[in-house]
Amino acid sequence: MPPSFDLSELFGSRGGAVGGGGGTPVVVKMEDPNNWSMVEIEGPNAALHGDKDRGKNAKQLTWVLLLKAHRAVGCVAWMAQGIWALLAAIKTRLVLSSRSGDSDSSSSSGKPQHKGKLHQFIRGFLAFAVVMLVVEMCAHILGWHLRFNRPHFHLPSPKDLSLHSLLQTIYLAWVYVRATFIAPPLQALADGCIVLFLIQSADRVLLCLGCIWIKYKRIRPEASVELLDSGDPELPYNGYPMVLCQIPMCNEREVYEQSISAVSQLDWPRDRILVQVLDDSSDEEIQMLIKAEVLKWHQKGIRIVYRHRPIRTGYKAGNLKSAMTCDYVNDYEFVAIFDADFQPRPDFLKRTIPHLKQDPKLALVQARWAFVNKDDNLLTRLQNVNLSFHFEVEQQVNGVFLNFFGFNGTAGVWRKTALEDSGGWLERTTVEDMDIAVRAHLRGWKFIFLNDVNVLCELPESYEAYRKQQHRWHSGPMQLFRLCLPDVVTAKASISFSFFIPLWRKANLVFLFFLLRKLILPFYSFTLFCIILPMTMFVPESHLPVWVICYVPALMSFLNVLPSPRSFPFIVPYLLFENTMSVTKFNAMISGLFQLSSAYEWVVTKKKGRASEADLSLVTPKEELAEAQQLLRGSSDSQVETLAKLQEQEQVAKSKALAPSPQKKPKARFYRKELSLAFLLLTAAARSLLSAQGVHFYFLLFQGISFLVIGLDLIGEQKD
């Protein structure tokens, strides 16, 4: 029951006579600060007072003010608590970082690296912004900013110069220089970036329209499993082609077991499939664990081999290239590739190989990725938005209308003759998948994308892992663009298909595939929203329209979220996060375009080995033990001895991993470029208040907070 306050006695004690000033007794009923009411109590002297004083009692006004003050204090307390928590997080990050010495300026080996030119530029811009904010605040307080626009205003003469007039003269001279020499080129740069922004947005809209057309017409590649039927009842599996499944990996302790298990359980005749486990691990313990897993499946009758390279040259491309040099590879017609964290379903080959058998001009069948940890934290949810749009819209539309898209490096099946015709795997870039796809396209081969075939995999859960992944994904394409541009211009198709690549295909490859989506997108997103926008706050003679800052980005974010409807509540965090990631993508793009040293870095994305649907089908431990004993009885002495040794080492390694270890405080990691941009945008937001630019202020404020959160590594799983 809501509380009530009976004040009749209090009011009555102060006089009930006419003109006594006792006021009207009231009962105040309040369920919450937004729902309250007051009722006047009819006292014994009510008839003497009449109705003229009702509603004019000061007590009523006092209660209303108290309720409003209660709400205001609660709101202020909530905001103060949030600010205090953010400041506490900043303090913790800085203290722990000073102790551990861990930041983005340190490599994984602990050796300091030189600060990049981009970080130095951002720091210089930040220093300029802080100085100009102080100057503009002083100018607004003293009214100098108004005097420049007065038609009859004249600078003071040399005889009247004082410190105040000298400072005023310097400020007015700066305003003149700003309006005359800085604003025009800044506005021209802003207009150029807006044009690029609109072109890229138009491309995004066309892709979405193409996806809607595909859904409306129900267009999808069709191929029947009956194509695998040999027609011979005595040899029913002769129609199944020979398939080589490759699993490249490197020091991936958490996921090797589930990937080998999933690929080994593919529904395909055992005498017509071979699994290659291509191990580049430098850790001997991990090597022994992978060997044990391979031998376990070999004992179950799976044709599986283990290959290890002592020297990891060329990274993944070198690993795949080395595997293709084996003599037995010549017996196989198709090559399926799965990264170490990918778990194909048993019917994967039966849903992909028929397309390759149906069309001899088809080189690649690419399947879609599905994520086992997409709802684990905010970072994985935002990644899911990006990749859902990539597969549902970009890959599907390009596959249907162009028969070409970038190979995703995994969850795909290649025709071996297409790999050989295209020159095989090359070690010249860190995006060997895109490299082989471009070269195959230039030779006239076709690709298809199967949106209804999903392969389970895992998203990086820490920002550090995601950041390194994105750096590789955006620096590699620029390396490749430099290398393959002459080949694109002079390309001729394979003799078996046609003599020349159509001009429109070359234009699509150069302009859309490379320039617009790999170079222009990170360039304008970083330049427009992280440099030009805050700059216009300090150079108000140039400006960005509200629709560039608010309406068009909101529309693009809406289109990006469409393929994953459950992510609509995260549309605003997605927009802010994508703008925040623009600094990493821009830095990577510059690194790859000018072939800086960081463009050749390859860091394996850290996985957690999340459970998937396939884990539900695993047998119980007792059944596993009985099956292992049965396999041991049917094995040779040397195999039994080797398997027993490997299993013993595997048990020791697992016991070490499961043993309780002393709790260690996670090392604090913060990112200097993101933090510098956070303070820059917040400074620009403060400057925008002087110009009363509402939308600009809110955008800069929230974008600055977004940079601050990511710069302090407060998104995703914290790195241990």
Side-chain angles (χ1 to χ4, degrees):
M1 179 181 294
S4 62
F5 303 91
D6 190 355
L7 306 177
S8 58
E9 296 181 0
L10 177 63
F11 290 126
S13 63
R14 295 190 177 182
V18 180
T24 303
V26 295
V27 175
V28 180
K29 297 181 179 181
M30 177 176 65
E31 297 179 359
D32 56 64
N34 294 318
N35 187 10
W36 58 273
S37 62
M38 290 184 292
V39 179
E40 295 183 1
I41 298 177
E42 297 293 337
N45 300 323
L48 298 176
H49 291 287
D51 296 335
K52 62 180 181 179
D53 292 329
R54 290 194 179 188
K56 300 179 181 180
N57 197 291
K59 291 289 183 181
Q60 298 179 5
L61 179 60
T62 302
W63 275 102
V64 173
L65 294 178
L66 285 174
L67 292 173
K68 296 296 183 182
H70 178 270
R71 291 185 58 192
V73 170
C75 181
V76 171
W78 177 79
M79 293 180 62
Q81 184 180 4
I83 295 174
W84 183 262
L86 181 60
L87 293 176
I90 294 173
K91 178 181 177 182
T92 303
R93 288 289 169 194
L94 295 178
V95 170
L96 291 179
S97 179
S98 62
R99 291 177 181 175
S100 63
D102 188 18
S103 68
D104 69 339
S105 61
S106 301
S107 63
S108 57
S109 60
K111 297 179 180 179
Q113 296 178 343
H114 296 289
K115 295 179 181 177
K117 299 292 185 182
L118 180 60
H119 182 221
Q120 294 178 1
F121 169 76
I122 295 173
R123 289 181 62 187
F125 190 8
L126 174 59
F128 166 79
V130 172
V131 172
M132 291 311 302
L133 177 62
V134 175
V135 171
E136 292 294 338
M137 290 179 64
C138 295
H140 275 68
I141 293 173
L142 298 174
W144 294 348
H145 65 293
L146 299 175
R147 299 185 179 183
F148 183 76
N149 297 322
R150 293 180 181 176
H152 302 294
F153 175 75
H154 299 284
L155 293 176
S157 62
K159 297 180 180 180
D160 300 331
L161 280 180
S162 63
L163 179 60
H164 180 272
S165 60
L166 179 62
L167 293 176
Q168 178 180 334
T169 303
I170 294 175
Y171 174 76
L172 295 177
W174 153 249
V175 172
Y176 175 79
V177 171
R178 185 181 72 188
T180 308
F181 301 104
I182 299 179
L186 180 62
Q187 188 64 52
L189 179 61
D191 294 341
C193 287
I194 291 174
V195 171
L196 297 178
F197 182 29
L198 293 177
I199 294 174
Q200 198 275 333
S201 300
D203 173 61
R204 188 64 54 95
V205 171
L206 288 176
L207 286 174
C208 291
L209 292 176
C211 183
I212 293 173
W213 179 259
I214 291 172
K215 298 295 183 183
Y216 175 72
K217 290 293 185 179
R218 298 181 181 180
I219 302 173
R220 67 174 187 175
E222 296 286 350
S224 175
V225 185
E226 297 177 355
L227 293 172
L228 302 175
D229 188 6
S230 64
D232 187 352
E234 296 182 357
L235 300 172
Y237 297 131
N238 273 5
Y240 286 76
M242 301 288 286
V243 179
L244 177 67
C245 294
Q246 297 179 327
I247 312 176
M249 59 180 63
C250 178
N251 293 327
E252 300 186 79
R253 178 195 296 269
E254 296 80 9
V255 294
Y256 75 90
E257 190 172 359
Q258 61 192 33
S259 62
I260 295 175
S261 172
V263 176
S264 299
Q265 297 181 67
L266 288 173
D267 185 11
W268 202 256
R270 291 193 175 183
D271 60 336
R272 309 193 75 79
I273 185 174
L274 175 67
V275 179
Q276 272 187 327
V277 179
L278 310 176
D279 185 21
D280 268 5
S281 301
S282 57
D283 191 327
E284 294 184 1
E285 185 178 315
I286 298 178
Q287 295 175 27
M288 299 303 291
L289 291 174
I290 298 174
K291 286 181 183 178
E293 185 69 17
V294 169
L295 189 53
K296 181 182 78 173
W297 287 101
H298 177 71
Q299 294 295 324
K300 293 181 180 181
I302 302 299
R303 298 178 69 241
I304 184 171
V305 296
Y306 173 84
R307 281 179 54 86
H308 176 261
R309 293 195 308 160
I311 302 177
R312 191 188 173 206
T313 57
Y315 303 112
K316 182 180 175 181
N319 199 358
L320 295 172
K321 181 179 180 180
S322 174
M324 295 299 291
T325 59
C326 300
D327 294 335
Y328 57 78
V329 172
N330 296 326
D331 300 331
Y332 294 87
E333 187 176 353
F334 303 111
V335 181
I337 302 173
F338 304 98
D339 281 352
D341 61 315
F342 279 72
Q343 306 165 58
R345 292 184 171 87
D347 63 346
F348 175 83
L349 293 179
K350 287 188 175 180
R351 300 180 69 181
T352 54
I353 296 296
H355 294 276
L356 292 162
K357 287 206 67 176
Q358 179 178 325
D359 188 356
K361 297 182 180 180
L362 190 61
L364 168 67
V365 176
Q366 173 71 62
R368 180 172 178 165
W369 299 0
F371 310 107
V372 298
N373 62 337
K374 62 183 179 181
D375 296 325
D376 275 18
N377 55 48
L378 179 60
L379 179 62
T380 57
R381 290 177 184 272
L382 299 179
Q383 292 179 68
N384 179 58
V385 173
N386 247 343
L387 291 172
S388 295
F389 183 87
H390 170 70
F391 287 109
E392 183 84 18
V393 179
E394 291 180 344
Q395 297 291 75
Q396 186 172 208
V397 170
N398 290 328
V400 169
F401 294 103
L402 300 177
N403 295 125
F404 167 71
F405 46 81
F407 175 43
N408 294 115
T410 178
V413 184
W414 277 90
R415 189 184 301 273
K416 187 168 70 69
T417 53
L419 289 175
E420 295 171 347
D421 181 60
S422 305
W425 301 102
L426 298 181
E427 307 168 8
R428 57 183 182 173
T429 70
T430 57
V431 284
E432 74 295 327
D433 45 6
M434 186 181 294
D435 188 2
I436 189 66
V438 170
R439 286 184 281 119
H441 179 58
L442 294 178
R443 298 291 293 171
W445 293 93
K446 297 193 300 183
F447 304 165
I448 64 169
F449 174 75
L450 302 181
N451 192 50
D452 56 341
V453 180
N454 298 331
V455 179
L456 294 172
C457 62
E458 185 179 329
L459 291 165
E461 297 182 12
S462 69
Y463 178 70
E464 174 67 12
Y466 179 67
R467 182 170 173 266
K468 291 180 178 178
Q469 181 196 71
Q470 292 300 304
H471 187 277
R472 187 176 76 247
W473 286 4
H474 286 82
S475 64
M478 289 298 97
Q479 288 179 288
L480 181 61
F481 178 66
R482 287 175 56 104
L483 295 170
C484 72
L485 182 59
D487 297 333
V488 173
V489 175
T490 61
K492 295 182 180 180
S494 177
I495 297 178
S496 58
F497 302 142
S498 61
F499 289 99
F500 295 99
I501 293 290
L503 184 61
W504 68 270
R505 286 185 179 270
K506 294 185 179 182
N508 166 72
L509 195 60
V510 173
F511 180 71
L512 291 180
F513 187 75
F514 278 113
L515 291 181
L516 186 60
R517 297 168 188 167
K518 302 298 188 299
L519 188 149
I520 292 177
L521 176 59
F523 170 77
Y524 86 74
S525 59
F526 172 74
T527 307
L528 192 62
F529 297 112
C530 298
I531 301 298
I532 295 178
L533 177 58
M535 191 68 181
T536 56
M537 297 299 102
F538 300 99
V539 185
E541 292 79 10
S542 59
H543 69 283
L544 288 178
V546 174
W547 57 268
V548 174
I549 300 170
C550 181
Y551 303 134
V552 177
L555 175 62
M556 294 301 104
S557 298
F558 176 79
L559 295 179
N560 274 28
V561 177
L562 273 180
S564 52
R566 291 179 56 190
S567 301
F568 269 104
F570 304 96
I571 187 170
V572 173
Y574 171 76
L575 173 61
L576 297 174
F577 180 72
E578 281 302 294
N579 288 337
T580 307
M581 284 302 299
S582 64
V583 61
T584 297
K585 296 176 180 179
F586 177 82
N587 190 35
M589 182 268 293
I590 294 296
S591 176
L593 188 62
F594 296 100
Q595 295 186 342
L596 305 180
S597 58
S598 60
Y600 297 93
E601 294 177 356
W602 181 292
V603 180
V604 177
T605 305
K606 198 67 176 175
K607 315 294 192 316
K608 288 292 183 181
R610 295 296 186 187
S612 66
E613 299 172 4
D615 296 330
L616 300 177
S617 62
L618 295 179
V619 295
T620 62
K622 291 183 179 180
E623 293 172 336
E624 284 186 346
L625 180 60
E627 186 179 1
Q629 290 176 349
Q630 184 178 359
L631 288 172
L632 286 172
R633 294 192 198 103
S635 305
S636 62
D637 293 339
S638 60
Q639 290 175 330
V640 169
E641 200 172 303
T642 304
L643 184 58
K645 182 179 178 182
L646 292 174
Q647 286 179 340
E648 181 181 354
Q649 293 178 349
E650 183 179 6
Q651 292 298 328
V652 171
K654 288 184 177 180
S655 63
K656 289 181 180 179
L658 296 175
S661 57
Q663 294 292 330
K664 296 181 179 180
K665 292 183 178 180
K667 295 181 179 179
R669 174 178 291 272
F670 63 92
Y671 303 96
R672 300 181 185 276
K673 287 192 289 291
E674 284 79 357
L675 286 177
S676 300
L677 280 169
F679 296 129
L680 171 63
L681 294 175
L682 293 175
T683 304
R687 172 62 181 87
S688 69
L689 291 175
L690 301 177
S691 304
Q693 301 187 40
V695 175
H696 297 71
F697 166 74
Y698 288 114
F699 181 87
L700 289 167
L701 176 63
F702 291 120
Q703 192 63 68
I705 294 175
S706 175
F707 269 105
L708 185 62
V709 169
I710 290 180
L712 295 172
D713 196 20
L714 298 177
I715 186 173
E717 182 181 272
Q718 305 303 314
K719 183 182 177 184
D720 294 333

